[in-house]
Amino acid sequence: MNFNLNFFKKMKSFQLANESSPLSLTPQFILPEHKRPHLSEVTSLDSIPIIDLSYIDENPCSSLEVAHKISKACEEFGFFQIVNHGVPEQICNKMMKAIDDLFELPAEQRDILFSTDHAKNIKLVNYYLQVEGGEKVKMWSECFSHPWYPIHDVIQLLPENFGAQYREAFTEYAKEIDALVRRLLSLLSIGLGLEDDYLLKKLGEQPRLRAQANFYPPCPDPELTLGLLDHTDSNALTVLLQSQVSGLQVNKDGKWISVPSIPNAFVINLADQIQVLSNGRYKSVNHRVVTNKARSRVSMAMFYGPNPDTIIGPIQELIDEEHPPRYRNYRFSEFLEEFFNQQGTRRMIKEVFELPFNQAV
Ligand code: OGA
Ligand code: NI
């Protein structure tokens, strides 16, 4: 009963920050035909890769086997889910509850965090697509973006009046995800045939760590909108925690596949920097979020990226005559600049750094 009331309340009254009236499906949210989700064409696959990490704890010498499974998933999909990952369920639940509560706050209270300035370190964002003619179509979501490290920045930046529960949940959560990412980077390094600390070292000290808590309210017509437009993540590796409500879809060979929400699992997305480092062997997965009529959805994306001063390019050990470099070297800050320049348009960022076929660096 409680749940139903809550749900009804959310459906009736969600208001985006910086808007003067409750969210409704006005033309400013309606995507042009070719950008709509075409939900009847979406498939579900039995073979979405799920990797059980407890296997390693029980048989330490099985790291290689797990690394190979991950490697295969990264080559085929650029994404996988992990279960038995060691992050306590209660820490994840606390994080999700804190996000839920944050988006239940009245819009007037969230307004202070709203910003369209990409340089702002902590902000509530309503993403958009810039369509021909310069108009903006808004996404059916609100996202809270902030640093993940150093943790005291997050704590200081969150407004006093409402962040207590979020601060506490995030501090615990970030510590766990940090350890998990190190484990995953080590398995990915092994899978690429490199020393197990290769990727961690390569991404540099003081990596660029960002977190994004996403909220997707129910939508009266999910055929006309998207929660997040199709994109690849621009960092190196993303750890995503999603609520029981599904909505995430990944693209494989041009087809959209829905990603089931599995209890106590994380979705791991390979992002652009690993695609470049692996010289295209691992794919940065193209993904999007669809809306649904009945229930709101929350997720937490933890983005692990290189230090902005780090030089990124195909790893020398992975280049030979048969595998000439497909990207030029660049400083990660250059990539970020390109990313911000392309804001709101179709994202084709790593393509800017591609080398013409077979050209040496
Ligand atoms: C993202 C993202 C997916 C989700 O935040 O970049 O892709 O399921 N989120 O919310
Ligand atoms: Ni993403």
Side-chain angles (χ1 to χ4, degrees):
M1 188 62 188
N2 230 344
F3 163 79
N4 282 337
L5 275 177
N6 235 343
F7 156 65
F8 190 66
K9 191 174 78 195
K10 257 189 212 171
M11 262 193 64
K12 277 289 173 220
S13 65
F14 186 76
Q15 187 168 325
L16 287 168
N18 208 39
E19 290 286 333
S20 52
S21 49
L23 183 62
S24 72
L25 191 50
T26 51
Q28 58 175 345
F29 290 96
I30 298 179
L31 287 162
E33 167 66 29
H34 68 285
K35 282 288 178 188
R36 291 182 196 165
H38 299 280
L39 296 170
S40 62
E41 291 162 27
V42 175
T43 53
S44 55
L45 270 192
D46 301 333
S47 60
I48 278 193
I50 299 172
I51 315 264
D52 185 343
L53 290 187
S54 66
Y55 197 51
I56 300 182
D57 303 330
E58 285 156 21
N59 328 276
C61 56
S62 63
S63 282
L64 202 60
E65 211 176 303
V66 174
H68 282 150
K69 270 195 197 156
I70 291 182
S71 187
K72 192 162 172 278
C74 295
E75 286 172 0
E76 284 180 18
F77 289 86
F79 114 99
F80 50 95
Q81 301 216 51
I82 51 172
V83 292
N84 299 321
H85 40 65
V87 179
E89 189 183 343
Q90 144 252 343
I91 290 186
C92 295
N93 291 345
K94 203 164 148 183
M95 187 71 255
M96 293 308 252
K97 168 85 171 59
I99 300 173
D100 251 333
D101 290 353
L102 182 81
F103 288 102
E104 283 221 9
L105 288 174
E108 313 85 76
Q109 276 187 52
R110 302 196 321 278
D111 279 353
I112 35 166
L113 283 175
F114 182 84
S115 176
T116 52
D117 175 4
H118 74 71
K120 205 142 191 228
N121 213 10
I122 181 161
K123 55 189 177 292
L124 271 175
V125 192
N126 177 215
Y127 290 111
Y128 60 86
L129 168 71
Q130 189 117 30
V131 288
E132 273 168 50
E135 255 171 74
K136 289 177 180 173
V137 177
K138 291 166 183 267
M139 294 303 116
W140 195 267
S141 59
E142 189 167 279
C143 306
F144 180 40
S145 163
H146 61 78
W148 147 13
Y149 181 87
I151 206 83
H152 62 260
D153 277 6
V154 185
I155 290 176
Q156 277 174 7
L157 289 165
L158 267 177
E160 267 300 309
N161 59 340
F162 63 79
Q165 187 203 4
Y166 189 96
R167 261 189 285 256
E168 189 188 308
F170 188 79
T171 308
E172 282 176 2
Y173 185 70
K175 225 160 102 190
E176 295 289 336
I177 302 304
D178 183 64
L180 179 65
V181 169
R182 284 164 192 272
R183 253 180 117 187
L184 290 169
L185 286 175
S186 145
L187 288 164
L188 288 169
S189 302
I190 298 171
L192 286 168
L194 304 163
E195 290 291 319
D196 62 0
D197 59 355
Y198 193 101
L199 286 173
L200 187 73
K201 280 195 178 149
K202 179 72 209 171
L203 296 170
E205 280 176 26
Q206 298 181 342
R208 184 171 191 271
L209 303 185
R210 303 276 316 165
Q212 185 166 289
N214 303 303
F215 181 74
Y216 307 96
C219 175
D221 191 346
E223 283 287 0
L224 301 179
T225 58
L226 278 172
L228 282 182
L229 210 61
D230 60 309
H231 67 282
T232 61
D233 292 344
S234 58
N235 51 307
L237 191 71
T238 307
V239 177
L240 183 94
L241 178 64
Q242 52 173 342
S243 61
Q244 301 304 314
V245 182
S246 51
L248 176 64
Q249 299 184 342
V250 294
N251 196 289
K252 178 161 168 30
D253 308 324
K255 286 216 165 72
W256 287 105
I257 304 167
S258 35
V259 178
S261 170
I262 302 173
N264 306 320
F266 288 110
V267 172
I268 311 297
N269 286 345
L270 263 279
D272 292 348
Q273 305 315 309
I274 300 239
Q275 173 162 334
V276 172
L277 287 164
S278 71
N279 200 27
R281 183 169 146 195
Y282 289 174
K283 294 199 175 57
S284 172
V285 66
N286 192 15
H287 54 288
R288 68 181 185 185
V289 178
V290 298
T291 60
N292 78 82
K293 275 188 192 171
R295 296 176 66 184
S296 59
R297 172 173 185 268
V298 296
S299 71
M300 173 54 114
M302 299 287 273
F303 303 115
Y304 192 105
N307 179 304
D309 284 332
T310 301
I311 303 291
I312 300 289
I315 292 170
Q316 279 303 324
E317 286 85 336
L318 305 179
I319 293 173
D320 54 31
E321 251 180 63
E322 238 180 278
H323 305 95
R326 293 165 65 168
Y327 301 92
R328 73 167 172 86
N329 287 342
Y330 54 83
R331 206 176 280 277
F332 184 51
S333 52
E334 247 185 281
F335 194 96
L336 286 174
E337 200 175 313
E338 183 63 37
F339 172 81
F340 291 122
N341 285 341
Q342 290 194 22
Q343 199 156 20
T345 63
R346 171 148 169 62
R347 288 208 213 163
M348 300 275 269
I349 305 146
K350 56 189 169 310
E351 287 75 2
V352 171
F353 301 90
E354 267 174 12
L355 287 170
F357 194 55
N358 273 352
Q359 186 188 312
V361 195

